[in-house]
């Protein structure tokens, strides 16, 4: 970084003062907290983390020095700050697939079309059209359970349960269904990924014989489930 781009001494000192103020606010929130899930405590924590990170960056840029402390980020992302007893909630699901056998996928769609007058393969009848037919015919859970039958290979998946103040009006969010969820409204999430199996394998290798009793207990197969509760 050039000298011209370096933060000024005043900017570093201002960031330090911001950390001090955030520390005071966090302590005050903790001292007056109401229950384990007090949103004021979570908000003060996040403000303190942001202020500390900003100070650390400016300190490093200006003096090539770092702070001796670090505020950890929760493994499951931002803390939940929604209501303890939500009146409504939304379920968001993402499942990734690789199309490993396009011919099998298209053949399955053609079978559906042959037995369902309302189904049709439009355009060129390729993979994109086949997916429209299959997801129109089968529930997503059935496709997930029979992925290989459809020429698909499962990738990562996640399910989020997010709190809402009230049930949305019919059609209210259909134009943009995935952009209105605040990460801090997510009460629970359940992730499925083969990376969790890799983590467990590394732990077992490090534990020696002690890991044998737990081998395969996280779901087996190619993926394991990790449930993360943020509330």
């Amino acid at each position: 970084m050039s000298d011209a781009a370096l933060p000024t001494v005043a900017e570093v000192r201002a960031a330090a003062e911001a950390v001090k103020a955030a520390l005071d606010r966090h302590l005050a929130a903790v001292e007056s907290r109401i229950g384990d899930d007090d949103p004021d405590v979570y908000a003060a924590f996040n403000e303190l983390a942001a202020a500390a990170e900003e100070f650390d960056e400016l300190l490093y840029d200006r003096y090539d020095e770092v702070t001796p402390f670090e505020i950890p980020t929760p493994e499951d992302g931002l803390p939940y700050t929604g209501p303890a007893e939500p009146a409504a909630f939304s379920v968001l699901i993402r499942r990734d697939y690789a199309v490993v056998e396009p011919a099998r996928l298209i053949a399955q769609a053609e079978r559906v079309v042959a037995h369902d007058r309302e189904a049709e393969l439009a355009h060129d009848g390729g993979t994109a059209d086949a997916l429209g037919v299959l997801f129109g015919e089968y529930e997503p859970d059935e496709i997930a359970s029979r992925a290989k039958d459809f020429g698909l290979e499962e990738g990562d998946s996640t399910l989020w349960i997010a709190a809402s103040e009230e049930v949305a009006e019919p059609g209210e969010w259909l134009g943009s269904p995935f952009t209105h969820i605040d990460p801090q409204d997510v009460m629970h999430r359940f992730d499925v990924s083969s990376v969790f199996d890799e983590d467990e394998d590394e732990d077992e290798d490090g534990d020696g014989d002690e890991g044998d009793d737990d081998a395969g207990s996280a779901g087996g197969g190619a993926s394991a489930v990790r449930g993360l509760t943020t509330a």
Side-chain angles (χ1 to χ4, degrees), residues 80 83-89 163-167 187:
Y80 175 68
E85 298 183 11
F89 64 91
S164 304
E165 293 184 0
E166 58 186 17
V167 177
M187 298 178 288

Side-chain angles (χ1 to χ4, degrees), residues 104 106-116 121 133 138 149:
R104 180 184 290 269
I106 294 170
Q108 289 282 16
E110 290 173 343
R111 291 191 185 97
V112 171
V113 171
H115 294 86
D116 187 344
L121 282 168
V133 169
Y138 300 105
D149 294 342

Side-chain angles (χ1 to χ4, degrees), residues 96-225:
D96 284 3
Y97 297 92
V99 181
V100 292
E101 295 184 73
R104 180 184 290 269
L105 180 73
I106 294 170
Q108 289 282 16
E110 290 173 343
R111 291 191 185 97
V112 171
V113 171
H115 294 86
D116 187 344
R117 295 180 180 178
E118 296 183 0
E120 62 176 348
L121 282 168
H123 305 299
D124 61 0
T127 300
D129 292 335
L131 287 171
V133 169
L134 293 174
F135 276 90
E137 177 72 13
Y138 300 105
E139 292 292 330
D141 286 345
E142 183 172 359
I143 290 180
S145 66
R146 298 176 52 197
K148 291 183 179 180
D149 294 342
F150 296 110
L152 304 174
E153 182 178 282
E154 292 180 278
D156 289 354
S157 68
T158 187
L159 182 151
W160 294 10
I161 303 176
S164 304
E165 293 184 0
E166 58 186 17
V167 177
E169 293 294 327
E172 180 178 344
W173 49 256
L174 290 179
S176 184
F178 302 114
T179 60
H180 300 293
I181 298 298
D182 186 332
Q184 292 187 281
D185 286 337
V186 177
M187 298 178 288
H188 310 282
R189 61 179 291 177
F190 302 91
D191 297 333
V192 178
S193 175
S194 59
V195 72
F196 300 148
D197 283 336
E198 295 170 4
D199 291 343
E200 289 163 7
D201 289 342
E202 290 175 0
D203 291 341
E204 290 170 6
D205 290 341
D207 293 340
D209 295 339
E210 294 179 1
D212 293 344
D213 292 338
D214 296 329
S217 63
S223 299
V225 176

